[in-house]
Amino acid sequence: MSELAVSEYEILLFYDPNAPIGAESLGYAKGEGYALRDVDILKNKFTGMQLEELADRLHVPIDGLVNKDHPDFERYKDDSFSDDDWIKILQKNPQLIKQPIAIRGHQAIFVKTPSDLSRL
C-alpha cells in the first residue's frame, strides 16, 4: 500500500522553500496553472516508508535521495551508512534530501529546472 497519496491529475511537489530551485519550481508550477499539491520538506516530516517509496519511484537507492552537494553533507561524506541509517539521517536533516521531487501518477522525477515539470 502506498504511503504517498498521488494522482494522475495533480503534481505532488516536494521542495525546500529555502533552496532557489525549490522556490522557482513551485512558482513555475503555479504560474503554469498545474494542478498542484506542494509539500515543504522542512515542515512535513517523512516516515521511513515514505522515503523508501520515494526512492523506489525515482529508481534510486535510499542514498540516492541524499543531496551530496549540500554543505551539511560534509559531516557524513566519509562514513558508510546502511539504508536504515540514511533514513534516520534524512528524517532528522530534511535539508539533505535532494529536491525538488515531483510525482504525477506513476512518474517521479528529480526536478533540475522548473520546466522539467512539463515532462510529467
Side-chain angles (χ1 to χ4, degrees), residues 55-109:
D56 187 52
R57 287 178 178 271
L58 291 161
H59 306 287
V60 297
I62 293 292
D63 69 348
L65 294 175
V66 179
N67 180 357
K68 295 177 174 92
D69 295 326
H70 194 283
D72 291 350
F73 177 72
E74 284 298 309
R75 67 180 138 180
Y76 302 106
K77 71 176 186 173
D78 294 327
D79 292 318
S80 178
F81 295 104
S82 69
D83 286 351
D84 287 337
D85 292 333
W86 276 122
I87 287 171
K88 289 174 187 162
I89 290 167
L90 292 174
Q91 287 174 317
K92 290 180 184 172
N93 304 280
Q95 72 279 6
L96 285 176
I97 296 172
K98 190 187 298 184
Q99 57 77 41
I101 296 170
I103 303 173
R104 177 183 271 166
H106 296 289
Q107 274 191 291
I109 60 169

Side-chain angles (χ1 to χ4, degrees), residues 15-85:
Y15 73 103
D16 177 345
N18 300 325
I21 185 66
E24 291 166 9
S25 296
L26 179 61
Y28 179 86
K30 288 181 175 181
E32 291 294 312
Y34 292 137
L36 178 72
R37 190 160 32 107
D38 57 295
V39 178
D40 178 339
I41 65 172
L42 302 180
K43 290 183 181 174
N44 297 285
K45 302 302 177 196
F46 287 99
T47 67
M49 290 289 293
Q50 288 170 329
L51 289 169
E52 288 175 355
E53 186 175 341
L54 268 179
D56 187 52
R57 287 178 178 271
L58 291 161
H59 306 287
V60 297
I62 293 292
D63 69 348
L65 294 175
V66 179
N67 180 357
K68 295 177 174 92
D69 295 326
H70 194 283
D72 291 350
F73 177 72
E74 284 298 309
R75 67 180 138 180
Y76 302 106
K77 71 176 186 173
D78 294 327
D79 292 318
S80 178
F81 295 104
S82 69
D83 286 351
D84 287 337
D85 292 333

Side-chain angles (χ1 to χ4, degrees), residues 107-120:
Q107 274 191 291
I109 60 169
F110 286 112
V111 178
K112 294 182 178 111
T113 65
S115 62
D116 287 348
L117 294 172
S118 65
R119 294 189 342 218
L120 292 175

Side-chain angles (χ1 to χ4, degrees), residues 5-12 34-37 103-105 120:
V6 297
S7 167
E8 292 288 336
Y9 304 105
E10 73 178 355
I11 293 174
L12 178 57
Y34 292 137
L36 178 72
R37 190 160 32 107
I103 303 173
R104 177 183 271 166
L120 292 175

